Amino acid sequence: MESIELKHLWKEYGNNIVLEDISISVKSGEFITLVGASGCGKTTFLKLLLGIETASRGQMLLDGKPLKDEPDKHRGIVFQRYSVFPHLNVIENVMLGEEFELSPLLGRTFGKKRREIRQHALAILKRVGLEDSVHKYPSELSGGMQQRLAIAQALIKNPSILLLDEPFGALDPGIRADMHKLILDIWEETKITIFMITHDLKEGFHLGTRLLVFDKYRIDPHQPNRYGATITYDIPVGNTDNRTLTEITSSMLKEE
Amino acid sequence: MKRLINQYPNRKGKILLGLIPFILFLGLYVFASHERLAVNENDKLMPALTTIVDAVSKMAFEPSKRTGEYLMLSDTTASLTRLGIAVCISALISLIVGILTGIIPKLRASISPVVTTVSLIPPLAILPILFIIFGLGEVSKIMLIVLGITPFLIRDTQLRVMELPEEMIIKAQTLGANSWQVIIRVILPQILPKLIDALRLSLGSAWLFLIAAEAISSTEGLGYRIFLVRRYLSMDIILPYVVWITILAFAMDYLLRKLSRSVFPWQLVPKGEG
């Protein structure tokens, strides 16, 4: 199975160190939640995993092979917003991934191929509970439904890793609970490796199998960017004592 | 009585309020024209409405004695053909160049400075060059319009492409799209309605360049006719021609707007709840 190995990863912009010396090894099928104060590098970390930022130093290996430094179909993503295409209706949004693969020139399929893709897309839409909105455009969907669509869209490519960048941050609490159930069910069925950023520690503990906390060990008050953030806690979810919890909470609420 | 800032006209009221300035203006014209003609019945500056109607019916509904053509129709066809060809060429060029420079950073680095420079050249200043190179025929007039509006359209298209949320472009790549597929399935369909909007804005300049070119060298066309009859102070022809050009411009704008809404219905769908 696909394991992910990160070795001594650094991300610097000139003198500004964002991430320092991150090493972590992730087994296939883990559900990892990332928490930390804003500006502490968890988004940069996700961008490195996604391939839209390149590490200054260090290695990222998927099954022993370096991860490409541009986005590809092995890594699915759901952003907080703009994850779906406004000019395509629900089913077209989901079909798109397969159409790219089968039609390099037009990115569009016809006839029998199209019907097969459609069946596949319908099955996935049913899985995320959007079977009644197949012909709607994204702007006709509620925020929660748009995120369901974004997840369905990513699933059609069977990615090895699913990256979620605060996917439920903009949703109402009730809808958020539904989405938690959905993502946990999908994770159990597909055994996909998930990395999810959240600013909600409770969400992090509830969903993941492993929680990573990003923070800076050292701070130079005269040069706040002299030291970068790193993983300060790497906790298997389920055995956390209250003291650790309080410590993490205070590190997340810390002023920049 | 509500405050003025809280009073809204209903549908009928809105139309009526919109018509008032036009009616007032027309009334003012009729009055002034009447006063002037009372002093000097040969006054050409503000012909009476009846004179204008006569002139229009002569231009529009009677074949010309010299050529046997309906002049207003042949003028309109000539002008609209030039305008239409030029606008289509400009739209096509700006779509291709704008999308490519918008999404491919290396092309942008190479082409953007040229486009910016060209867009700063006043098109009318190079009209003589166009006449020298392309002759006095149709090509130079079309070229003037194309040169006049294309740089703006390219820059606008490029900006619109760069404004598309980065998330969308990344998402497409995670779905396995290559650069070409991103362009035709993600960018092109979202840019087309925006190009139509930009075209609507550039129609004003397109008309300006058309009439300028026709005024200088032509044998037919709306601009040509206006400048021709200017020699005889024929306000009875110039005024209705100006009105006609305005109506045509309005109609083109309206049609483009309708086209955009019917071809790209996803733009108009109401926002969903929360």
Side-chain angles (χ1 to χ4, degrees):
Chain A
M1 286 299 276
E2 289 120 334
S3 62
I4 299 157
E5 193 85 37
L6 307 183
K7 292 180 183 165
H8 305 293
L9 221 53
W10 289 69
K11 181 67 193 174
E12 300 148 277
Y13 300 96
N15 285 329
N16 182 357
I17 302 177
V18 182
L19 291 174
E20 63 176 60
D21 200 20
I22 291 187
S23 295
I24 174 180
S25 148
V26 175
K27 287 197 297 290
S28 174
E30 286 195 77
F31 191 145
I32 297 180
T33 47
L34 316 170
V35 298
S38 55
C40 68
K42 55 190 195 301
T43 300
T44 308
F45 180 73
L46 201 78
K47 284 181 173 171
L48 289 175
L49 282 176
L50 183 57
I52 54 178
E53 293 275 3
T54 314
S56 320
R57 280 180 263 169
Q59 267 189 312
M60 287 195 295
L61 304 173
L62 176 65
D63 267 345
K65 280 173 281 185
L67 272 169
K68 266 202 203 166
D69 59 354
E70 63 174 352
D72 60 21
K73 60 185 176 186
H74 301 299
R75 291 163 278 177
I77 176 86
V78 175
F79 294 106
Q80 190 170 8
R81 296 173 64 198
Y82 303 123
S83 282
V84 295
F85 302 106
H87 61 292
L88 300 174
N89 67 26
V90 166
I91 188 139
E92 288 168 339
N93 258 293
V94 180
M95 289 167 67
L96 195 62
E98 296 241 293
E99 290 194 289
F100 282 145
E101 177 137 6
L102 292 175
S103 168
L105 209 59
L106 293 176
R108 205 181 276 275
T109 50
F110 304 95
K112 187 162 166 270
K113 261 193 209 167
R114 188 174 176 83
R115 280 194 297 277
E116 282 169 15
I117 296 177
R118 219 185 134 76
Q119 286 311 313
H120 186 188
L122 269 177
I124 294 178
L125 282 176
K126 211 165 182 169
R127 182 64 204 80
V128 300
L130 280 179
E131 68 271 24
D132 294 331
S133 311
V134 169
H135 296 293
K136 284 188 179 163
Y137 286 107
S139 54
E140 293 172 279
L141 302 178
S142 66
M145 287 163 92
Q146 288 191 16
Q147 291 309 76
R148 282 170 193 268
L149 177 57
I151 293 169
Q153 200 178 29
L155 286 180
I156 203 165
K157 299 302 284 185
N158 287 322
S160 329
I161 312 170
L162 185 60
L163 304 169
L164 308 171
D165 187 359
E166 293 197 29
F168 315 132
L171 305 179
D172 295 336
I175 296 170
R176 209 187 277 200
D178 294 344
M179 297 300 289
H180 288 166
K181 186 171 167 354
L182 176 72
I183 199 74
L184 280 177
D185 287 350
I186 286 173
W187 172 67
E188 265 164 29
E189 281 165 34
T190 58
K191 281 295 159 208
I192 191 173
T193 311
I194 296 181
F195 286 85
M196 178 171 119
I197 292 187
T198 174
H199 54 246
D200 179 353
L201 189 57
K202 238 172 69 194
E203 187 175 79
F205 273 108
H206 171 59
L207 286 179
T209 55
R210 183 172 172 187
L211 179 89
L212 302 183
V213 183
F214 282 76
D215 199 6
K216 291 181 181 181
Y217 271 126
R218 297 169 291 184
I219 291 179
D220 179 344
H222 303 291
Q223 249 184 308
N225 296 327
R226 179 65 190 82
Y227 299 109
T230 190
I231 297 170
T232 48
Y233 292 89
D234 180 350
I235 315 163
V237 173
N239 10 335
T240 325
D241 55 71
N242 273 331
R243 206 178 129 222
T244 323
L245 207 63
T246 324
E247 276 172 25
I248 298 171
T249 314
S250 70
S251 97
M252 283 175 66
L253 294 175
K254 190 169 52 184
E255 291 283 323
E256 278 302 298
Chain B
M1 193 76 172
K2 281 186 183 175
R3 292 180 189 87
L4 268 179
I5 51 170
N6 291 327
Q7 295 177 28
Y8 292 91
N10 59 20
R11 215 182 134 73
K12 256 189 198 160
K14 216 166 155 183
I15 297 174
L16 205 68
L17 287 172
L19 279 177
I20 286 175
F22 288 101
I23 295 167
L24 276 181
F25 186 76
L26 195 68
L28 197 68
Y29 178 87
V30 171
F31 172 74
S33 153
H34 185 80
E35 290 296 302
R36 284 184 71 99
L37 288 170
V39 178
N40 169 13
E41 61 179 22
N42 289 324
D43 179 61
K44 302 203 78 168
L45 199 62
M46 297 182 95
L49 288 188
T50 48
T51 320
I52 292 179
V53 171
D54 280 350
V56 169
S57 69
K58 214 155 110 199
M59 295 299 288
F61 307 116
E62 287 171 28
S64 148
K65 288 195 185 79
R66 202 162 55 79
T67 59
E69 282 177 325
Y70 294 89
L71 285 180
M72 201 156 164
L73 179 70
S74 61
D75 284 341
T76 307
T77 337
S79 289
L80 286 187
T81 310
R82 289 168 191 144
L83 198 67
I85 295 176
V87 167
C88 287
I89 294 176
S90 305
L92 197 66
I93 296 176
S94 44
L95 191 65
I96 295 170
V97 180
I99 288 185
L100 290 180
T101 53
I103 195 68
I104 302 178
K106 284 187 174 167
L107 267 182
R108 177 161 64 242
S110 154
I111 292 178
S112 270
V114 182
V115 175
T116 310
T117 311
V118 172
S119 76
L120 294 173
I121 304 173
L124 281 175
I126 52 169
L127 184 57
I129 304 177
L130 295 179
F131 280 146
I132 293 169
I133 298 177
F134 299 109
L136 297 174
E138 295 300 305
V139 181
S140 53
K141 296 185 200 60
I142 291 172
M143 279 302 289
L144 176 70
I145 304 174
V146 170
L147 279 173
I149 63 173
T150 307
F152 159 75
L153 287 174
I154 291 179
R155 293 174 78 186
D156 188 74
T157 310
Q158 180 190 318
L159 282 177
R160 303 280 163 220
V161 172
M162 293 170 69
E163 270 172 21
L164 288 176
E166 197 194 3
E167 287 93 334
M168 243 179 243
I169 313 289
I170 295 168
K171 179 87 187 196
Q173 296 178 64
T174 64
L175 297 177
N178 57 35
S179 301
W180 168 246
Q181 288 171 326
V182 170
I183 290 175
I184 57 164
R185 289 295 322 259
V186 179
I187 296 175
L188 181 66
Q190 295 193 65
I191 281 305
L192 278 174
K194 291 176 178 165
L195 177 71
I196 291 181
D197 282 343
L199 272 182
R200 288 172 56 200
L201 288 178
S202 65
L203 273 182
S205 333
W207 275 101
L208 167 74
F209 296 126
L210 174 74
I211 289 172
E214 286 182 343
I216 296 170
S217 138
S218 196
T219 53
E220 57 180 352
L222 298 165
Y224 160 75
R225 192 69 53 198
I226 292 179
F227 277 80
L228 181 75
V229 301
R230 178 190 61 101
R231 297 177 203 164
Y232 318 112
L233 294 179
S234 292
M235 289 294 271
D236 53 342
I237 295 177
I238 297 177
L239 289 177
Y241 258 63
V242 172
V243 173
W244 178 232
I245 290 173
T246 313
I247 293 173
L248 287 175
F250 180 83
M252 288 168 78
D253 185 74
Y254 179 79
L255 288 177
L256 282 176
R257 201 174 71 215
K258 282 279 164 203
L259 177 80
S260 172
R261 290 191 181 182
S262 63
V263 181
F264 310 107
W266 51 269
Q267 303 178 81
L268 287 178
V269 185
K271 283 272 166 231
E273 294 295 311

